[in-house]
Amino acid sequence: MFERLVLKLYLILQAYAFATKLDTEPSCSKLLAELGDFQKNLVTCVTHNSVPVQICSNCKIVYGNMTKQYKKLSNCSEYFDQDRLNLIPTTQNLLSSIWSKAYCNGKYFGKTVFSGYPYKCYFLSIYHVTECDQDDALQKYTDKNEELSTCINKTANNEVCATCLHLYRDLNSYFTSLNQRYNGKVCFEMQDQMNRTRNHWSKGLKCCQRKPKLTYFTIALAFVISLPMIFYTSSYIITIQRENNHGTLHDEDPLLNVPAPTASTSSTATPGATSLPTTSSTNLNETTSAISKKIF
Ligand SMILES: *[C@@H]1O[C@H](CO)[C@@H](O)[C@H](O)[C@H]1NC(C)=O
Ligand SMILES: *[C@@H]1O[C@H](CO)[C@@H](O)[C@H](O)[C@H]1NC(C)=O
Ligand SMILES: *[C@@H]1O[C@H](CO)[C@@H](O)[C@H](O)[C@H]1NC(C)=O
Ligand SMILES: *[C@@H]1O[C@H](CO)[C@@H](O)[C@H](O)[C@H]1NC(C)=O
């Protein structure tokens, strides 16, 4: 009777030990099933946060869970390189590539990045490799964007451009500086948001700075186009005045009014007629100087 009880107790203890062992070291099939769930969560999260792009901040935890799980599975060699498709690493790489394509990981290696003092940088090892996190930049950017958005929302439509311009410029220059620092690899969430803000600012609110420049350009263009008209009008006035001058001269000296065809056809050139071209050319010179005086 007592022996049976001891045996039962022993069996129970054995079962318990087995169970706890299972719990501390989960089987590979369990790890694989969990990985599938985490991958599914990531896909759902990415789809839900795709437009506008907000995957970097909203799916960060899900992505972290998935990568951790994949590392755990790496001990289960029976799932890797067993066939040509090699599906598990393929699926994992596919999902990870979304992350790197959107520059969500925010890890940039190299000494140059370390000079980016305002952003969190950690010394990783003696190899002087630094790991920099764009999370701070994203937070700062989001704060600035929020400030601008609040200003736009609470300001009357016709005053938005003037009132919120300094906030817009601040946000824009902050983004530009980040873009330079990270060599164009700024977290895509920020890129998308900046693009939307710029579009809204210039197309939605029509606060584009080109407008006054365009007005000046139009004025200059109108002036240039009207130049020929001014020229022809002034030429016309000058010609009329010149003709009037001819009339006055004719009154003074009848010889000057000798018609050119008569002078050239006439075979008997008088001394008065020969002096005609010189006089008329002097007269022409006077008129031209008069014209130039009028023009300038
Ligand atoms: C991520 O993992 C933690 C702990 O493993 C868990 O508590 C959390 O619910 C998971 N989150 C998601 C979104 O999968
Ligand atoms: C892989 O297995 C070893 C022991 O076999 C264990 O120490 C290690 O923590 C395991 N790695 C992971 C990521 O679970
Ligand atoms: C401003 O208004 C837009 C649309 O009306 C809204 O989506 C946005 O959240 C508002 N921003 C703030 C900071 O309240
Ligand atoms: C910015 O927006 C325009 C149109 O809204 C789009 O065509 C363009 O691809 C966007 N740029 C980026 C970097 O997303």
Side-chain angles (χ1 to χ4, degrees), residues 37-38 41-42 58-59 61-66 68-69 72:
D37 283 343
F38 285 132
N41 289 349
L42 182 67
N58 290 353
C59 307
I61 296 170
V62 188
Y63 178 77
N65 277 0
M66 186 193 77
K68 261 184 259 164
Q69 188 69 18
K72 278 187 203 163

Side-chain angles (χ1 to χ4, degrees), residues 71-75:
K71 268 186 199 136
K72 278 187 203 163
L73 193 75
S74 63
N75 267 359

Side-chain angles (χ1 to χ4, degrees), residues 173-186:
S173 62
Y174 181 64
F175 178 80
T176 310
S177 72
L178 279 181
N179 210 24
Q180 279 169 354
R181 188 185 304 283
Y182 292 118
N183 235 336
K185 292 179 179 174
V186 177

Side-chain angles (χ1 to χ4, degrees), residues 146 149-150 153:
E146 188 88 1
S149 176
T150 310
N153 282 9

